[in-house]
Amino acid sequence: MRTSTALLLPLALCAHLLASSPAHAQAAKYELDPDHITIAFLVDHIGYAKVLGLFRSARGSYRFDEATATLSDVRIEVETASVFSNQRKRDEHLKGPDFLNSGEFPRMVFTASSAKRTSERNFEISGQLELLGKSQPLTLQATWNKSAESPMGGPLRKPYTMGVSARGSFKRSAYGMNYAVSNGWVGDEVPLIIEFEAVRQ
């Protein structure tokens, strides 16, 4: 009986240590702060200049382990009807069937399939962008700007916040959005500008 107890004690201790070790820790979940997110785009207009637009409504979440810099479960949803380019008539056109067709496809969704750390603060995130009912590959170059308790939460609550900048681009014709591509009036390549703060849950 003593021998059995002597064996059980170190085994129990080992199990406790393994369960509490960082290697077994679960990555924290982060949710994008809707008040601090910018998803914008640039599109060439007849070669004169680029039009800057953005989406005013988006949400998303992901998991991130700071110790290992492991990123997973990335999902960002954008409300296509929230498009804004600072010109009412153009915005209505962008929401229509020539472009985003928001009535039939109210959301544009990015989901990541892999994330590779390229330097201390930089990541290459590969995934799929779903738009107009089609999914095409999209790669984002992302920078982890900062993680810290936010001073914006007030004296009683200081949420742990992560800030990220990301860039990417896609061809809208890959989704069947061909309006004014052939005559060069509206650019096919769409560079993306993504800036957000995310709160650890």
Side-chain angles (χ1 to χ4, degrees), residues 96-166:
D98 284 337
F99 290 99
L100 295 166
N101 198 1
S102 300
E104 188 174 349
F105 302 100
R107 291 182 185 85
M108 175 171 61
V109 181
F110 175 71
T111 53
S113 55
S114 66
K116 180 175 68 176
R117 190 177 189 177
T118 55
S119 65
E120 184 180 358
R121 290 279 175 174
N122 296 312
F123 296 80
E124 184 176 277
I125 304 171
S126 300
Q128 295 284 317
L129 179 66
E130 181 183 339
L131 175 62
L132 294 173
K134 297 181 180 181
S135 291
Q136 296 288 341
L138 175 65
T139 299
L140 298 176
Q141 303 298 329
T143 300
W144 174 16
N145 296 320
K146 178 181 178 179
S147 288
E149 289 187 348
S150 173
M152 304 299 292
L156 299 178
R157 182 175 180 271
K158 296 186 181 298
Y160 193 79
T161 302
M162 182 177 178
V164 174
S165 300

Side-chain angles (χ1 to χ4, degrees), residues 27-28 30 62-72 115 117 123 144:
Y30 288 80
Y62 59 90
R63 290 189 178 277
F64 185 67
D65 185 338
E66 282 197 33
T68 61
T70 302
L71 180 68
S72 61
R117 190 177 189 177
F123 296 80
W144 174 16

Side-chain angles (χ1 to χ4, degrees), residues 14-117:
C14 287
H16 173 73
L17 290 172
L18 285 171
S20 59
S21 66
H24 288 71
Q26 189 177 21
K29 184 177 180 180
Y30 288 80
E31 291 194 1
L32 272 59
D33 179 354
D35 295 329
H36 296 95
I37 178 171
T38 299
I39 298 181
F41 57 88
L42 286 165
V43 179
D44 186 77
H45 181 242
I46 327 180
Y48 291 117
K50 290 180 172 60
V51 172
L52 175 65
L54 57 86
F55 295 95
R56 294 190 285 191
S57 180
R59 60 182 176 271
S61 62
Y62 59 90
R63 290 189 178 277
F64 185 67
D65 185 338
E66 282 197 33
T68 61
T70 302
L71 180 68
S72 61
D73 298 342
V74 179
R75 181 178 175 88
I76 300 175
E77 297 183 9
V78 177
E79 302 293 330
T80 56
S82 70
V83 67
F84 174 76
S85 67
N86 202 32
Q87 211 274 345
R88 185 185 59 80
K89 190 173 181 180
R90 179 171 57 220
D91 289 346
E92 291 303 316
H93 192 189
L94 288 173
K95 295 174 192 177
D98 284 337
F99 290 99
L100 295 166
N101 198 1
S102 300
E104 188 174 349
F105 302 100
R107 291 182 185 85
M108 175 171 61
V109 181
F110 175 71
T111 53
S113 55
S114 66
K116 180 175 68 176
R117 190 177 189 177

